[in-house]
Amino acid sequence: MTHISARIDFSSPQGGATPRLRHAFGTPRAVLVAHELADVRPLLDAVQAAAEKGSWCVGYLRYEAAPAFDAALAVHAPDGPLAWFAVHDDALPWLEDASAATARVQWAETCPRPAFGAAMDQIQRAIADGELYQVNFTAQLEGEWAGKPEEGAAQALFAALQRAQPGGYAAFIDTGDTGDGQLLSVSPELFFDWQDGQILARPMKGTAARGATPEMDAAQAAALRASPKERAENVMIVDLLRNDISRIAEPFSVQVPALFHTEALPTVWQMTSDVRARTRTGTTLADVFAALFPCGSITGAPKVRAMQMIRDLEAGPRGVYCGAIGVVRPGEPGQGIRATFNVPIRTVTVQAGGLRCGIGSGITSGAVPDAEWQEWRNKQQFLARASMPFDLLETLALEDGQLRHAADHLQRLAGAAAHFGIPWDAAAVQHCLNQLAQAHPQGLWRVRLLQGAQGKPRAEAFAMDASPAQVQLQLADRPLMDAHGEFVRFKTTRRAHYDAFTPTGPGVFDTVLYNAEGEITECTRGNVAMQLDGRWVTPPLACGLLPGVGRALALRDGRLTEAVVRLDDLPRVQGWAFVNSLRGWLAAQIV
């Protein structure tokens, strides 16, 4: 048997003090695979029988397994096994990945903006014609390793994905050559948890981007909870799940104890609701899947018509994405089995050297194409974060052994570490800086303070010339499309989006950037100040920019106030300045 292994790191669906389900699995006793629709239900029966005898079964169903339960559910032809489970005699302790391997992946879209807009038009026409209420439209991102992948690159990517999307229902499954290669799922969505005759489903529908400040973040969450469009999107799927679960539920037992709950993920807010019920005596695992699969949150409503439209709009099979990944294990003595499955969103498939990751959203009558496209970009941020290793970065001035504004820089670095889930040791960081300062007691130095994913700080110093009295700035020739992304709001070594605007003209110090809405944001190496109507202003963080230390100091002492400045306002600007903590306040001219 080829090398097969798995790791499961699932949140407790019931919450409270129940620990996470974190286990590793070695070589299985058996592998169960279904290639034909007729084999899917018998495979699930075999999984249940194995778990009833004490085994742990880890595996998945592809989205294309749906017609095994209802021939009316339309899908593309599958390009791999419809269902796959490894049967293990027991579960092993979870071990943190100690490999030094790194993973670098370059991703490309398969659904460009014009094609997305055309699909949106078709969906809106179908909704207007009364054919359906919602369609979950998706597309695959295709990835390739940047250079030859190191041994253990897939495991390293999984670890990076978990750091980028912690919590939830994460699974790493290596099927060897018996299934779909390697599955790296960090899904935040519970499909169902079934134990002791009780079933819980937690559909996730409704999304908002995280805010740039705590106040803006709270406002985003409140707006998501109050949004008629997002609430309608959520309740449509809740109604669908209630109907699906009623097929296996005892009469009058279906309840919705939690509705419109907002969950904070690193890059987005998501809205979830709980649907609970008591299952009828004699219900089997295959019966549960027949009633619920695929989860309505990734189809739309009504499910049959939505899946027909999905097949017409999407270019090929979804695969494990939008199917189900989970574990079936023995329950308490005398209580049968326990089955917990995620909805494999935020899931990467690694096979034959290539990588795939699906992204999608629910389209309703209130959907706006630009907003839905931005939602796709927001959901991709976890992938961008994990696919290219980066360090947190602070740049400080060191003059004659004294670090300028060190406390402000360390506060900002601590905030970035918290955001990215990187360990933070204030004493270790301070010790690192103190050592560097002691080694450079004289002169003017530019200090780069770096902190990697494991939390270990390091610092380096470079000789720095005195700041010029005035600098020249140029205006960008196009908007910065990722102005609201986390690699703008937090300072890191991930700077490709800034490097694309490096000045090209002779003598130009930096480039003034603006966002897709035509609002001035910042420069590539510092913030920008403008004299407008007799006062000095700087763009607010909501425009999409780094909260620079020099900017914060100028706001604190009253030299600057915040104001939105648009491209149309530039003829009225009476003066310019470049601002950061390294160079201070530099008078500037636009060339």
Side-chain angles (χ1 to χ4, degrees), residues 34 36-47 68-69 83 284-291:
E36 304 295 333
L37 292 172
D39 297 330
V40 174
R41 286 193 68 129
L43 180 146
L44 292 173
D45 291 338
V47 167
F69 309 110
T284 67
L285 181 65
D287 293 335
V288 173
F289 272 95

Side-chain angles (χ1 to χ4, degrees), residues 44 227 464 506:
L44 292 173
S227 167
M464 187 172 86

Side-chain angles (χ1 to χ4, degrees), residues 214-483:
E215 296 76 17
M216 293 169 60
D217 201 35
Q220 288 285 87
L224 174 61
R225 286 190 293 269
S227 167
K229 181 262 184 187
E230 301 293 345
R231 291 166 70 94
E233 184 178 328
N234 187 280
V235 79
M236 286 177 191
I237 302 307
V238 168
D239 285 345
L240 189 156
L241 263 292
R242 289 173 60 198
N243 181 68
D244 284 354
I245 287 180
S246 70
R247 301 175 184 176
I248 53 172
E250 291 184 356
F252 311 110
S253 70
V254 180
Q255 298 179 343
V256 182
L259 190 63
F260 306 142
H261 173 68
T262 48
E263 294 186 10
L265 304 181
T267 58
V268 293
W269 284 99
Q270 296 270 200
M271 185 184 289
T272 64
S273 296
D274 284 5
V275 184
R276 292 180 178 270
R278 295 189 307 274
T279 53
R280 292 194 292 268
T281 301
T283 298
T284 67
L285 181 65
D287 293 335
V288 173
F289 272 95
L292 303 185
F293 189 82
C295 182
S297 64
I298 49 76
T299 62
K303 185 182 285 188
V304 170
R305 181 66 186 102
M307 290 184 65
Q308 290 171 350
M309 194 155 203
I310 287 168
R311 185 188 60 182
D312 292 342
L313 291 175
E314 297 183 9
R318 289 181 171 183
V320 180
Y321 171 62
C322 294
I325 296 176
V327 57
V328 184
R329 63 196 191 279
E332 296 298 322
Q335 297 296 328
I337 65 169
R338 177 165 182 176
T340 310
F341 284 82
N342 74 13
V343 179
I345 57 176
R346 318 292 198 275
T347 297
V348 174
T349 301
V350 183
Q351 191 172 31
L355 301 92
R356 291 198 310 173
C357 181
I359 298 292
S361 62
I363 310 301
T364 64
S365 62
V368 177
D370 286 344
E372 295 296 327
W373 182 252
Q374 185 59 48
E375 181 177 320
W376 279 30
R377 299 186 70 85
N378 292 338
K379 288 178 176 177
Q380 292 176 36
Q381 287 185 19
F382 88 102
L383 196 60
R385 186 195 289 190
S387 297
M388 288 289 175
F390 63 91
D391 293 333
L392 305 183
L393 171 65
E394 289 292 324
T395 307
L396 304 81
L398 174 64
E399 187 170 13
D400 295 334
Q402 298 296 314
L403 288 161
R404 292 183 199 159
H405 315 306
D408 294 280
H409 282 281
L410 294 189
Q411 182 180 13
R412 187 172 70 172
L413 184 62
H419 173 79
F420 287 108
I422 293 175
W424 173 252
D425 185 338
V429 175
Q430 188 65 62
H431 178 70
C432 177
L433 282 178
N434 290 343
Q435 282 189 314
L436 187 76
Q438 292 170 9
H440 299 81
Q442 302 293 328
L444 182 62
W445 302 86
R446 175 173 61 89
V447 173
R448 281 169 53 90
L449 173 61
L450 300 157
Q451 187 168 14
Q454 305 306 319
K456 184 176 181 179
R458 63 190 190 279
E460 48 195 16
F462 304 90
M464 187 172 86
D465 296 331
S467 298
Q470 187 178 65
V471 296
Q472 291 185 327
L473 305 176
Q474 68 179 26
L475 184 66
D477 60 358
R478 62 193 185 281
L480 175 63
M481 300 308 297
D482 296 322

Side-chain angles (χ1 to χ4, degrees), residues 138-153:
T138 77
Q140 297 282 343
L141 300 174
E142 294 185 348
E144 60 180 23
W145 300 107
K148 183 178 180 180
E150 303 176 34
E151 184 177 355

Side-chain angles (χ1 to χ4, degrees), residues 25-38:
F25 298 89
T27 302
R29 173 166 52 83
V31 174
L32 308 176
V33 186
H35 292 279
E36 304 295 333
L37 292 172

Side-chain angles (χ1 to χ4, degrees), residues 104 109-110 149 167 233 308 383 393 443 538 557:
R104 295 179 179 272
E109 293 175 344
T110 61
E233 184 178 328
Q308 290 171 350
L383 196 60
L393 171 65
T538 192
D557 65 20

